[in-house]
Coordinates of all heavy atoms in Angstrom, one line a residue:
Y1220 N 122.1 177.5 125.6 CA 121.9 178.4 126.8 C 121.3 177.6 128.0 O 121.8 177.8 129.1 CB 121.0 179.6 126.5 CG 120.9 180.6 127.6 CD1 121.9 181.5 127.8 CD2 119.7 180.5 128.5 CE1 121.7 182.4 128.9 CE2 119.6 181.4 129.5 CZ 120.6 182.4 129.7 OH 120.5 183.3 130.8
R1221 N 120.3 176.8 127.8 CA 119.7 176.1 128.9 C 120.6 175.0 129.5 O 120.4 174.5 130.6 CB 118.4 175.4 128.5 CG 118.5 174.3 127.5 CD 117.1 173.6 127.3 NE 116.8 172.9 128.5 CZ 115.8 173.2 129.3 NH1 115.0 174.2 129.1 NH2 115.5 172.4 130.4
E1222 N 121.7 174.7 128.7 CA 122.7 173.8 129.3 C 123.6 174.5 130.3 O 124.0 173.9 131.3 CB 123.6 173.2 128.2 CG 124.6 172.2 128.6 CD 125.5 171.8 127.5 OE1 125.2 172.1 126.3 OE2 126.6 171.1 127.8
M1223 N 123.7 175.8 130.1 CA 124.5 176.6 131.0 C 123.7 177.2 132.2 O 124.1 177.2 133.3 CB 125.2 177.8 130.3 CG 126.0 178.7 131.2 SD 126.9 180.0 130.2 CE 128.2 179.0 129.6
V1224 N 122.5 177.6 131.9 CA 121.6 178.2 132.9 C 120.3 177.4 132.8 O 119.5 177.6 131.9 CB 121.4 179.7 132.6 CG1 120.5 180.3 133.8 CG2 122.7 180.5 132.6
Q1225 N 120.1 176.6 133.8 CA 118.9 175.7 133.8 C 117.6 176.5 134.3 O 117.7 177.1 135.4 CB 119.1 174.5 134.7 CG 120.3 173.7 134.2 CD 120.8 172.7 135.2 OE1 120.2 172.5 136.3 NE2 121.9 172.0 134.8
P1226 N 116.6 176.6 133.4 CA 115.5 177.5 133.7 C 114.8 177.2 135.0 O 114.3 178.2 135.7 CB 114.5 177.2 132.5 CG 115.4 176.7 131.5 CD 116.5 175.9 132.1
E1227 N 114.8 176.0 135.5 CA 114.1 175.6 136.7 C 114.9 175.9 138.0 O 114.5 175.7 139.1 CB 113.7 174.2 136.7 CG 114.8 173.1 136.7 CD 115.5 172.9 135.3 OE1 115.1 173.6 134.4 OE2 116.4 172.1 135.2
D1228 N 116.2 176.3 137.8 CA 117.1 176.5 138.9 C 116.9 177.8 139.6 O 117.3 178.9 139.0 CB 118.6 176.3 138.4 CG 119.6 176.5 139.6 OD1 119.2 176.5 140.7 OD2 120.8 176.6 139.3
S1229 N 116.3 177.8 140.8 CA 116.1 179.1 141.5 C 117.4 179.8 142.0 O 117.4 180.9 142.3 CB 115.2 178.8 142.7 OG 115.8 178.0 143.6
E1230 N 118.5 179.0 142.0 CA 119.8 179.6 142.4 C 120.5 180.3 141.2 O 121.4 181.0 141.4 CB 120.7 178.5 142.9 CG 120.2 177.8 144.2 CD 120.3 178.8 145.4 OE1 121.1 179.7 145.4 OE2 119.4 178.6 146.3
H1231 N 120.0 180.1 140.0 CA 120.6 180.7 138.8 C 122.0 180.3 138.6 O 122.8 181.2 138.2 CB 120.4 182.2 138.8 CG 119.0 182.6 139.1 ND1 117.9 182.5 138.2 CD2 118.4 183.2 140.2 CE1 116.8 182.9 138.7 NE2 117.1 183.3 140.0
F1232 N 122.4 179.1 139.0 CA 123.8 178.7 138.8 C 124.2 178.7 137.3 O 123.4 178.5 136.4 CB 124.0 177.3 139.3 CG 124.2 177.1 140.8 CD1 124.0 178.2 141.6 CD2 124.7 175.9 141.3 CE1 124.2 178.1 143.0 CE2 124.9 175.8 142.7 CZ 124.6 176.9 143.6
I1233 N 125.4 179.1 137.1 CA 125.9 179.1 135.7 C 126.9 178.0 135.5 O 128.0 177.9 136.1 CB 126.7 180.5 135.4 CG1 125.6 181.6 135.6 CG2 127.3 180.5 134.0 CD1 126.3 183.0 135.5
H1234 N 126.5 177.0 134.8 CA 127.3 175.7 134.6 C 128.1 175.9 133.3 O 127.6 176.1 132.2 CB 126.4 174.5 134.4 CG 125.5 174.3 135.6 ND1 125.8 173.4 136.6 CD2 124.3 174.8 136.0 CE1 124.9 173.4 137.5 NE2 124.0 174.3 137.2
I1235 N 129.4 175.9 133.5 CA 130.3 176.1 132.3 C 131.0 174.8 131.9 O 131.8 174.3 132.7 CB 131.4 177.2 132.7 CG1 130.7 178.5 133.3 CG2 132.2 177.5 131.5 CD1 131.6 179.5 133.9
S1236 N 130.7 174.3 130.8 CA 131.3 173.1 130.2 C 132.3 173.5 129.2 O 131.9 173.9 128.1 CB 130.2 172.2 129.6 OG 129.3 171.8 130.6
A1237 N 133.6 173.3 129.5 CA 134.6 173.8 128.6 C 134.9 173.0 127.4 O 135.3 173.4 126.4 CB 135.9 174.0 129.4
D1238 N 134.6 171.7 127.5 CA 134.9 170.8 126.4 C 133.9 169.6 126.4 O 133.0 169.6 127.2 CB 136.3 170.3 126.5 CG 136.7 169.7 127.9 OD1 135.8 169.2 128.5 OD2 137.9 169.9 128.3
E1239 N 134.1 168.6 125.6 CA 133.2 167.5 125.5 C 133.2 166.6 126.7 O 132.2 166.0 127.1 CB 133.6 166.6 124.2 CG 133.3 167.3 122.9 CD 131.8 167.8 122.8 OE1 130.9 167.0 123.3 OE2 131.6 168.9 122.3
E1240 N 134.4 166.6 127.4 CA 134.5 165.9 128.7 C 133.5 166.5 129.7 O 132.8 165.8 130.4 CB 135.9 165.8 129.2 CG 136.0 165.1 130.5 CD 137.4 165.0 131.0 OE1 138.4 164.9 130.2 OE2 137.6 165.1 132.3
D1241 N 133.5 167.8 129.7 CA 132.6 168.5 130.6 C 131.2 168.3 130.2 O 130.3 168.1 131.1 CB 132.9 170.0 130.6 CG 133.9 170.5 131.6 OD1 134.4 169.6 132.4 OD2 134.2 171.7 131.7
A1242 N 130.9 168.2 128.9 CA 129.5 168.0 128.5 C 129.1 166.6 128.9 O 128.0 166.4 129.3 CB 129.5 168.1 127.0
Q1243 N 130.0 165.6 128.8 CA 129.7 164.2 129.3 C 129.4 164.2 130.8 O 128.5 163.5 131.3 CB 130.8 163.3 129.0 CG 130.9 162.9 127.5 CD 132.1 162.0 127.2 OE1 133.2 162.2 127.5 NE2 131.7 160.8 126.7
L1244 N 130.2 165.0 131.5 CA 130.0 165.1 133.0 C 128.6 165.7 133.3 O 127.9 165.2 134.2 CB 131.1 165.9 133.6 CG 132.5 165.3 133.8 CD1 133.5 166.3 134.2 CD2 132.4 164.2 134.8
A1245 N 128.2 166.7 132.5 CA 126.9 167.3 132.7 C 125.8 166.3 132.5 O 124.9 166.2 133.3 CB 126.7 168.5 131.8
A1246 N 126.0 165.5 131.5 CA 125.0 164.5 131.2 C 125.0 163.4 132.3 O 123.9 162.9 132.7 CB 125.2 163.8 129.9
T1247 N 126.1 163.0 132.8 CA 126.3 162.1 133.9 C 125.6 162.6 135.1 O 124.8 161.9 135.8 CB 127.7 161.8 134.2 OG1 128.3 161.2 133.0 CG2 127.9 160.8 135.4
H1248 N 125.8 163.8 135.4 CA 125.2 164.4 136.6 C 123.7 164.5 136.5 O 122.9 164.1 137.4 CB 125.7 165.9 136.8 CG 125.2 166.6 138.0 ND1 124.3 167.7 137.9 CD2 125.3 166.3 139.3 CE1 124.0 168.0 139.1 NE2 124.6 167.3 140.0
A1249 N 123.2 164.8 135.3 CA 121.7 164.9 135.1 C 121.1 163.5 135.2 O 120.0 163.3 135.6 CB 121.4 165.5 133.7
G1250 N 121.9 162.4 134.9 CA 121.4 161.1 134.9 C 121.4 160.4 136.3 O 120.8 159.3 136.5
L1251 N 122.0 161.1 137.3 CA 122.0 160.5 138.6 C 120.5 160.5 139.2 O 119.7 161.3 138.9 CB 122.9 161.3 139.6 CG 124.4 161.2 139.3 CD1 125.2 162.2 140.1 CD2 124.8 159.7 139.6

């Protein structure tokens, strides 16, 4: 759940990772 809705995000964005490629992208983004 916290991968989709980040608790610290005041905008309450819903991040939808459809597959493993999306999951890798999420990790890449977090690593910037």
Side-chain angles (χ1 to χ4, degrees):
Y1220 184 80
R1221 65 171 292 113
E1222 183 184 349
M1223 177 173 286
V1224 182
Q1225 298 163 6
E1227 67 279 3
D1228 181 11
S1229 62
E1230 295 292 331
H1231 311 288
F1232 277 12
I1233 300 173
H1234 300 262
I1235 307 170
S1236 299
D1238 50 32
E1239 290 305 320
E1240 179 179 325
D1241 267 1
Q1243 287 181 301
L1244 284 171
T1247 297
H1248 182 246
L1251 290 170

